[in-house]
Amino acid sequence: MIHLGLDLGHESERAAEHWLYDLVQQLGRPAGAVACTHLTHRPVPHVAASLAVPRGAVAAELLAALPPVAPELREAAEHAAAAHAAGRGGRATVFPGVERLTGTLPVAELLDVSAIERVTVIGGAPAGPDTLVDTRDHVRPQWRDGVLTLVTTPAPGGRIAPFEVPNPTPCCADHV
């Protein structure tokens, strides 16, 4: 795999996520590609990105044409790439099988059809292979201890759902 640190100084995960999605499309959706966002404070709070593609999956000239990282954002981009390569950081937005994670499906199927390797439950019993996951059509696993992990929470009907909701209320939204 080739791990690249990318950084255009996006102010939100949503903006970085859309940019990554478009970038992967431009690269021809290489099989095995994993694109992640990374919250960083280097040098100011923003969202950096990383992209991992199998060697030879993308032509060298396409990779060379990726947007340059501004000098002040290089440290954050390098940190994002290193964290992704080590499997210790990054929130995956593009990964093998993501398109199949819609609706509700058992944990065993989620693990079988996608690159997600582990499902954890915050505040609930451990998930079994038959536990149903209401994906909310928004699944964003994270690299933890070298394992692509989906963090979930209990949901109605004995199901679980990704901890991250698709349209979160912005922080301080009720303080206006």
Side-chain angles (χ1 to χ4, degrees):
M1 291 290 260
I2 300 170
H3 292 85
L4 304 167
L6 309 164
D7 200 335
L8 295 183
H10 289 99
E11 293 182 6
S12 72
E13 284 188 313
R14 180 175 290 220
E17 189 172 312
H18 285 288
W19 176 73
L20 277 170
Y21 178 80
D22 290 343
L23 178 67
V24 171
Q25 296 303 316
Q26 292 170 8
L27 294 174
R29 291 191 56 92
V34 178
C36 296
T37 58
H38 302 256
L39 299 177
T40 183
H41 291 278
R42 301 170 191 205
V44 296
H46 72 283
V47 181
S50 61
L51 174 65
V53 293
R55 290 193 183 280
V58 178
E61 58 269 11
L62 285 176
L63 292 177
L66 292 175
V69 176
E72 66 273 16
L73 300 176
R74 283 191 188 136
E75 181 183 355
E78 290 170 0
H79 181 78
H84 185 158
R88 59 182 165 71
R91 170 184 165 274
T93 63
V94 175
F95 53 94
V98 65
E99 69 281 352
R100 298 182 68 183
L101 303 180
T102 60
T104 301
L105 62 159
V107 167
E109 182 178 345
L110 179 142
L111 296 173
D112 186 50
V113 301
S114 74
I116 296 172
E117 301 169 278
R118 176 175 54 200
V119 174
T120 64
V121 184
I122 296 175
D130 296 329
T131 303
L132 293 177
V133 181
D134 178 359
T135 67
R136 302 176 181 153
D137 299 340
H138 185 82
V139 178
R140 302 293 183 265
Q142 304 168 10
W143 285 109
R144 291 184 169 191
D145 303 320
V147 177
L148 195 56
T149 304
L150 178 63
V151 178
T152 66
T153 186
R159 298 176 179 191
I160 57 175
F163 182 76
E164 182 179 336
V165 295
N167 297 304
T169 302
C171 180
C172 303
D174 62 344
H175 301 284
V176 180

